[in-house]
Amino acid sequence: MGAKTGKLWRRGAPVPREPSTAEDGEAADTLRISRSLRRADLRAVSDVRRDLRELMRHRCRTDATDVAELLITELVTNALVHTDRGAEVSASLTATRLRVEVRDRAARRPRPYVPTADDGTHGRGLVLVEALADAWGVDALTLGAGKVVWFELEGCREAPYAPGPA
C-alpha cells in the first residue's frame, strides 16, 4: 500500500486516507478532504480551519494558507448561521489550485453587500471572499436541493518561501 497522505473529514476525528485518484480530468496527485457539519455546530468551524491548514501545510505559501483559512471560515459560518440544516464542506488541492466548496440545503442564494457601521461585525464574509479569492461563485443544486458556495485560490502549491544563506 502507498504512503498515507491527506485526510478525510467525517464526523469526529480526521482519518488518514490514500491519495486521491484522478477524477474529471484532475491530476492524480489531487489531495481532498471533506466533512459533514451538524446544524448550528459553530465549534466545528475551528476544526475545519485547522484541517484545511494541515492539508495546505508544507504545500502552500503561508499567505495563501492564511487567506484560505479566512475564506473557509466565512463560508462555513454563513452556512451554519443562515440555514436550518447542516453543511458539507470539501476542499481539493492540486499542483495549481485550491478549491473549497460548502454545500447546504437552503435554496436562497447569498449576496455580498457592503455593511453599514450599524451592522457590527456581520455582513463582511462574502465581500472578503469576493476580494480575496481568485474565483468564487454560487451553484444551485438540482430540484431545489440547496446550493454550493465555492472559492478557488490559484498557485497556492508553489514552494513555500525559504530564505537562503546570507
Side-chain angles (χ1 to χ4, degrees):
M1 213 182 266
K4 303 283 185 185
T5 61
K7 289 187 178 180
L8 177 66
W9 283 329
R10 295 276 185 228
R11 293 189 195 271
V15 294
R17 66 170 176 87
E18 289 296 321
S20 300
T21 58
E23 285 182 15
D24 299 328
E26 287 187 355
D29 66 343
T30 299
L31 300 174
R32 289 189 184 88
I33 52 180
S34 64
R35 184 177 192 146
S36 295
L37 305 175
R38 291 182 290 232
R39 179 178 64 88
D41 185 8
L42 294 176
R43 291 175 298 163
V45 176
S46 63
D47 294 337
V48 168
R49 187 174 50 242
R50 181 187 62 240
D51 291 340
L52 180 65
R53 179 176 48 245
E54 183 62 26
L55 174 73
M56 297 176 74
R57 189 171 66 120
H58 303 303
R59 296 176 185 96
C60 302
R61 298 179 323 270
T62 302
D63 59 330
T65 302
D66 292 344
V67 168
E69 283 184 62
L70 174 64
L71 300 185
I72 200 171
T73 298
E74 295 298 336
L75 294 188
V76 170
T77 301
N78 283 350
L80 296 178
V81 168
H82 297 293
T83 66
D84 60 353
R85 296 187 182 170
E88 300 289 326
V89 180
S90 63
S92 60
L93 181 63
T94 68
T96 60
R97 171 179 59 92
L98 170 72
R99 181 178 176 97
V100 172
E101 297 181 351
V102 179
R103 299 172 193 265
D104 64 50
R105 292 199 167 94
R108 187 179 69 240
R109 295 175 66 87
R111 296 177 189 255
Y113 69 95
V114 178
T116 65
D118 296 339
D119 287 335
T121 60
H122 299 287
R124 291 167 174 77
L126 288 179
V127 172
L128 288 171
V129 173
E130 188 174 49
L132 298 175
D134 292 309
W136 79 281
V138 181
D139 298 329
L141 298 176
T142 58
L143 304 173
K147 65 183 171 299
V148 177
V149 183
W150 57 270
F151 72 85
E152 293 179 351
L153 297 176
E154 299 293 333
C156 64
R157 276 186 77 175
E158 295 170 8
Y161 175 73

